[in-house]
Amino acid sequence: METAPSSVSCLPHTAKMSKAKKVLEEAREIRNPELDLFDKGVSTFEEMPGLLNMTNVTRLTLSHNRIRSIPPGLANLTNLEILNLANNQIQELPLSLSSMPKLRILNLSINRLDTLPRGFGAFPVLEILDLTYNNLKEDSLPGNFFMMQTLRALYLGDNDFEKLPPEIKNLKNLEILGLRENDLIELPKEIGELSRLRELHVQGNRLTILPPELGNLDMASNKAEFRFEGNVWVPPILDQLNLGISHLQDYLRSEAYRITYNRYLTNKPPVPPPCVDKAKKISRLR
Amino acid sequence: MNPTDRSPNIPLIGAIKNSRLAQRRASRTEESYVRFEIYDNVPLHIRNNDSPVSQTIPKFQWITNMSRDTMFCSKCGEGFEPQEKIVNSTGQLWHQHCFVCAQCFREFADGVFYEYDGRKYCEHDFHVLFAPCCQRCNTFIIGRVIKAMNASWHADCFRCEMCNLELADTGFIKNGGRALCHECNAKVKARGLGKYVCHKCHAIIDDQPLRFRGEVYHPYHFTCTACGVELDANAREVRNRPGLAKNDTNELYCLRCHDKMGVPICGACRRPIEERVVTALGKHWHVEHFVCAKCEKPFFGHRHYEKKGLAYCETHYHQLFGNLCYSCNQVISGDVFMALNKAWCFHHFACSICDQKMTEKTKFYECDLKPVCKKCYERFPKELRNRLRRQHEASTKRAPTPVE
Ligand SMILES: [Zn+2]
Ligand SMILES: [Zn+2]
Ligand SMILES: [Zn+2]
Ligand SMILES: [Zn+2]
Ligand SMILES: [Zn+2]
Ligand SMILES: [Zn+2]
Ligand SMILES: [Zn+2]
Ligand SMILES: [Zn+2]
């Protein structure tokens, strides 16, 4: 492959490539199941020969590369528990990925995903799914997306959601839900059924009111972190937020708020315009 | 009375007269006290005032220049020759040869004599003829005489034949020809009967004794620490400080109260536990009633975790109190790395983008409460970094909110 250095511009690329190969060779030699292949200038899996046969691998970290597509054969790595593809250029995922039997942590943040494959929600043991900084919205999600009962953390920040499907309530084990800087207009009341939720990021959306059911969650515990800044809250909510999260929680649980909330529902205020300019997002690049 | 008496715990005041203690006290008079006399035996007239037992100062003088025609000897009735020495004592006059011991007819040495039944005796003869002799030390008794056991005694010679206690002021009991104090008498009597002597009242314990702090007692001297009822021999001594040899903090309980304490009560169902007892959280539990406060599944001997007076299974303890590793979702057994509202196994704390291990010294950034190492953060899209920075600034500015 690397013959005579005919062109100088080719050299850095060749050097990077050999770096990835070197990592693989070393890992094979010492049977290291954790592969650090981040920032290796990799564009395709062809540049990492033999990788898809290394079935002993438990962690594969490919962050900071230029990978555009994932081969279905990646699912051969049946012992893989952690797959990190953060900061690549992935636009599409193979359906096979969700069949990986041991995959617990999947990081697809900072990519270019507009959609997820059908059946994506079939991961048997997925616990942490990071889809931060893509181009996803409610329509991009496959029908079985909220069937991932093992999910502990779902990061959807920096995407294009306007609404969160009420099926979110099916993620019974969810502790962390990231929705920072989407285009959310409202939150479903079903979010109040996520009894284990202790982290909620909804900063930088277009929210005006909160469902009273959110008050069911233990927002004020010292293990909880609920972030609401950067929305267009109605004054009563903004007032409580300024007083502190426990005030907001008490208010959401109050009869007074139930009345206020119902009035807002029947008398819907105009939807605020998107407040985050996402034109410069590199996830938009094609 | 039946020890399983079901009467209320508070004794009626009127019933006290009928208590065993009251009856016992009333029957105390049956015990025979041998009365004994004590009197003072002191010389009537002594010349010198240096003896501690002397009580009178002698009026004893030679009369020389009085009219002797009207004076007669108190003993023989004869008059006195001129120039003859006349003895004047206690208002009477004597010839010198008449003022002598009624027994030995000798003059009184140093003028000391004893008067008994109208006659005067020298000290020696008085002692020989009349003064009591101590049964114990065989010397004359001057001063306090103890008449007891058909003999006389110096007060400090009359002692208990077993323990040598002085008996003059406490009284004694005749036991087989011996004078004994009450305590020794009771001991002897009890030993003879194969019984104990109460450490408090020193009387024989006829019924079952109560053992308490290493001594034996009549049970009726005590009441139950819990309910106050007068105790019987079924009472139980409870060690308050197990493991300590000293038992002076032990307490007594009636059988009923002791049973209440002894049979553990389940902290969940409040019923007594007959079989296996689990002790945790300062309470006792039926094995099947000691459950996780969250999922309510019994631990059945599995490890449990305590927090604020509640017990949790491993899963729920860590779920609720955050000590499951964010990365491996396992209980953190070694050192815990706490950051960003999360916990990690010490060796599982890593950058969420490049998966490289970080230590407490590694500088890292936060994105949605995930750790991002500096190198990775710098490779974030610039516009994302800008937004994250703005947001961070906004949230830190927000923190101290002035209340108007
Ligand atoms: Zn004597
Ligand atoms: Zn004695
Ligand atoms: Zn007694
Ligand atoms: Zn009692
Ligand atoms: Zn019970
Ligand atoms: Zn439990
Ligand atoms: Zn861990
Ligand atoms: Zn990193």
Side-chain angles (χ1 to χ4, degrees):
Chain A
M1 218 151 50
E2 311 124 52
T3 45
S6 53
S7 98
V8 179
S9 66
C10 200
L11 271 174
H13 181 245
T14 320
K16 289 272 187 186
M17 237 190 72
S18 57
K19 260 195 200 170
K21 280 169 99 175
K22 215 171 140 194
V23 170
L24 289 172
E25 264 158 39
E26 261 177 35
R28 267 191 289 264
E29 253 170 53
I30 61 165
R31 303 188 59 67
N32 182 5
E34 306 203 335
L35 294 185
D36 284 314
L37 287 163
F38 61 92
D39 198 14
K40 296 286 182 273
V42 174
S43 301
T44 72
F45 274 69
E46 278 92 76
E47 295 165 46
M48 301 174 288
L51 169 63
L52 302 185
N53 297 322
M54 294 170 71
T55 51
N56 67 316
V57 171
T58 59
R59 176 169 65 78
L60 177 57
T61 303
L62 286 162
S63 332
H64 306 307
N65 285 297
R66 292 192 297 266
I67 298 167
R68 286 178 171 263
S69 71
I70 307 294
L74 187 63
N76 293 344
L77 303 181
T78 49
N79 282 304
L80 206 59
E81 292 183 36
I82 300 175
L83 175 57
N84 200 331
L85 292 160
N87 195 17
N88 278 278
Q89 300 169 12
I90 302 166
Q91 293 183 20
E92 238 179 308
L93 293 168
L95 179 65
S96 63
L97 214 57
S98 51
S99 69
M100 297 182 79
K102 293 187 182 172
L103 196 65
R104 293 190 303 106
I105 301 176
L106 175 57
N107 194 336
L108 288 161
S109 64
I110 318 178
N111 276 286
R112 300 176 186 182
L113 293 167
D114 298 319
T115 180
L116 296 173
R118 221 160 18 92
F120 184 79
F123 289 100
V125 296
L126 196 63
E127 296 174 13
I128 300 175
L129 175 57
D130 197 337
L131 290 163
T132 307
Y133 206 93
N134 280 282
N135 307 313
L136 298 168
K137 48 183 175 290
E138 50 273 31
D139 303 336
S140 329
L141 302 180
N144 71 344
F145 186 83
F146 294 105
M147 307 290 260
M148 292 183 278
Q149 298 258 330
T150 52
L151 222 51
R152 291 188 279 123
L154 175 59
Y155 296 97
L156 295 170
D158 274 315
N159 278 285
D160 304 322
F161 286 87
E162 287 196 351
K163 284 182 178 163
L164 185 65
E167 289 76 32
I168 188 77
K169 70 175 181 190
N170 296 334
L171 300 178
K172 294 256 176 280
N173 286 301
L174 205 63
E175 295 170 24
I176 299 167
L177 178 56
L179 289 161
R180 175 187 49 79
E181 292 182 295
N182 277 264
D183 292 317
L184 289 171
I185 295 161
E186 59 182 44
L187 288 176
K189 66 177 195 304
E190 287 76 8
I191 212 165
E193 292 178 39
L194 298 174
S195 60
R196 291 189 188 165
L197 201 68
R198 57 183 177 84
E199 242 184 65
L200 177 66
H201 307 260
V202 292
Q203 317 93 299
N205 281 282
R206 299 148 73 189
L207 298 169
T208 50
I209 47 170
L210 288 168
E213 289 79 3
L214 197 67
N216 297 339
L217 304 179
D218 194 2
M219 295 157 52
S221 107
N222 63 341
K223 280 280 155 202
E225 186 83 31
F226 281 65
R227 295 184 167 181
F228 293 106
E229 302 89 351
N231 283 280
V232 275
W233 301 113
V234 294
I237 288 190
L238 193 60
D239 290 347
Q240 299 303 321
L241 270 175
N242 285 336
L243 288 174
I245 202 78
S246 61
H247 291 262
L248 177 67
Q249 181 173 6
D250 290 345
Y251 180 58
L252 293 180
R253 291 174 178 183
S254 71
E255 189 53 35
Y257 181 64
R258 202 165 283 277
I259 295 164
T260 309
Y261 179 72
N262 287 334
R263 204 165 53 231
Y264 274 107
L265 279 194
T266 48
N267 207 349
K268 275 196 171 170
V271 174
C275 40
V276 183
D277 178 20
K278 296 178 174 175
K280 291 178 193 153
K281 274 177 77 178
I282 61 159
S283 64
R284 298 277 199 266
L285 294 177
R286 283 294 174 272
Chain B
M1 197 185 274
N2 192 334
T4 56
D5 169 25
R6 262 173 275 257
S7 62
N9 288 342
I10 306 138
L12 298 166
I13 299 297
I16 283 176
K17 244 187 283 175
N18 301 324
S19 78
R20 280 177 296 262
L21 179 59
Q23 286 164 0
R24 190 80 208 178
R25 279 187 189 138
S27 68
R28 178 70 65 69
T29 46
E30 293 163 12
E31 292 281 4
S32 52
Y33 289 83
V34 177
R35 300 201 161 268
F36 56 95
E37 295 166 36
I38 301 173
Y39 64 88
D40 278 329
N41 176 39
V42 292
L44 281 179
H45 306 287
I46 53 170
R47 194 189 207 167
N48 298 318
N49 196 19
D50 52 2
S51 163
V53 292
S54 75
Q55 286 181 331
T56 54
I57 299 161
K59 291 178 237 160
F60 190 72
Q61 53 184 257
W62 301 101
I63 295 167
T64 46
N65 45 2
M66 281 177 68
S67 162
R68 300 171 178 235
D69 299 341
T70 54
M71 296 187 283
F72 302 96
C73 173
S74 296
K75 178 143 192 252
C76 62
E78 298 292 318
F80 299 96
E81 296 295 316
Q83 303 305 314
E84 185 179 3
K85 278 184 181 172
I86 301 170
V87 180
N88 176 4
S89 172
T90 62
Q92 291 176 306
L93 306 174
W94 283 273
H95 294 110
Q96 203 175 351
H97 60 264
C98 284
F99 191 65
V100 292
C101 169
Q103 180 71 10
C104 66
F105 305 107
R106 274 181 268 200
E107 285 184 28
F108 302 116
D110 299 325
V112 174
F113 64 91
Y114 292 75
E115 206 171 59
Y116 186 79
D117 207 10
R119 288 176 226 262
K120 293 178 173 62
Y121 297 91
C122 71
E123 185 166 19
H124 174 259
D125 285 326
F126 177 79
H127 283 163
V128 169
L129 291 170
F130 309 108
C133 185
C134 174
Q135 179 80 11
R136 176 159 167 175
C137 65
N138 257 325
T139 61
F140 294 115
I141 304 166
I142 308 297
R144 212 171 161 205
V145 178
I146 309 297
K147 281 258 178 215
M149 307 290 291
N150 297 321
S152 301
W153 315 75
H154 289 107
D156 62 350
C157 283
F158 187 55
R159 290 167 182 268
C160 169
E161 284 180 49
M162 282 179 71
C163 71
N164 216 30
L165 183 82
E166 262 191 56
L167 298 171
D169 295 315
T170 58
F172 72 102
I173 296 160
K174 215 172 176 177
N175 184 313
R178 293 185 299 176
L180 298 179
C181 70
H182 292 284
E183 205 169 325
C184 291
N185 177 62
K187 274 185 203 160
V188 169
K189 220 164 128 190
R191 213 177 291 144
L193 296 166
K195 288 184 177 169
Y196 292 100
V197 170
C198 172
H199 189 67
K200 184 178 171 76
C201 70
H202 309 304
I204 288 175
I205 304 168
D206 286 315
D207 302 319
Q208 282 294 306
L210 175 64
R211 290 175 189 279
F212 179 50
R213 296 182 185 174
E215 303 286 354
V216 285
Y217 295 91
H218 290 108
Y220 51 71
H221 292 302
F222 299 93
T223 55
C224 170
T225 305
C227 71
V229 75
E230 186 184 301
L231 294 178
D232 57 31
N234 290 316
R236 297 292 146 91
E237 182 175 12
V238 172
R239 292 182 185 279
N240 276 344
R241 294 189 294 180
L244 286 181
K246 266 191 112 169
N247 55 9
D248 55 6
T249 58
N250 293 0
E251 285 177 331
L252 289 168
Y253 293 87
C254 72
L255 191 62
R256 205 151 59 109
C257 289
H258 181 265
D259 283 355
K260 268 194 246 165
M261 300 191 306
V263 176
I265 302 297
C266 174
C269 69
R270 316 302 310 165
R271 292 169 171 280
I273 305 166
E274 315 287 349
E275 287 154 24
R276 235 182 95 200
V277 180
V278 179
T279 304
L281 302 166
K283 291 177 188 164
H284 302 293
W285 312 84
H286 286 110
V287 179
E288 65 277 16
H289 287 165
F290 186 49
V291 300
C292 168
K294 177 80 180 164
C295 67
E296 300 189 339
K297 283 190 190 128
F299 299 113
F300 287 131
H302 288 285
R303 194 169 169 194
H304 75 275
Y305 295 78
E306 297 181 7
K307 181 99 171 180
K308 286 182 181 165
L310 295 174
Y312 297 89
C313 68
E314 191 168 282
T315 307
H316 287 122
Y317 176 81
H318 292 289
Q319 203 173 73
L320 289 167
F321 306 109
N323 283 331
L324 283 179
C325 172
Y326 171 76
S327 174
C328 69
N329 203 28
Q330 302 297 304
V331 175
I332 301 167
S333 47
D335 287 339
V336 180
F337 198 105
M338 304 287 287
L340 306 175
N341 206 33
K342 297 174 181 66
W344 279 266
C345 307
F346 205 78
H347 59 285
H348 280 165
F349 183 66
C351 168
S352 63
I353 301 294
C354 67
D355 294 326
Q356 298 309 290
K357 310 269 177 287
M358 298 196 288
T359 69
E360 66 269 44
K361 288 186 186 123
T362 314
K363 194 184 173 198
F364 66 89
Y365 290 79
E366 174 243 319
C367 177
D368 295 333
L369 290 174
K370 292 171 290 182
V372 177
C373 75
K374 193 165 181 286
K375 269 186 187 167
C376 287
Y377 188 80
E378 280 163 1
R379 305 217 35 181
F380 271 16
K382 194 163 187 294
E383 64 89 20
L384 173 59
R385 273 184 286 156
N386 286 341
R387 276 188 287 122
L388 291 174
R389 198 189 57 238
R390 275 201 302 274
Q391 216 174 58
H392 181 73
E393 284 164 4
S395 69
T396 45
K397 222 185 292 168
R398 179 191 59 96
T401 312
V403 182
E404 279 145 321

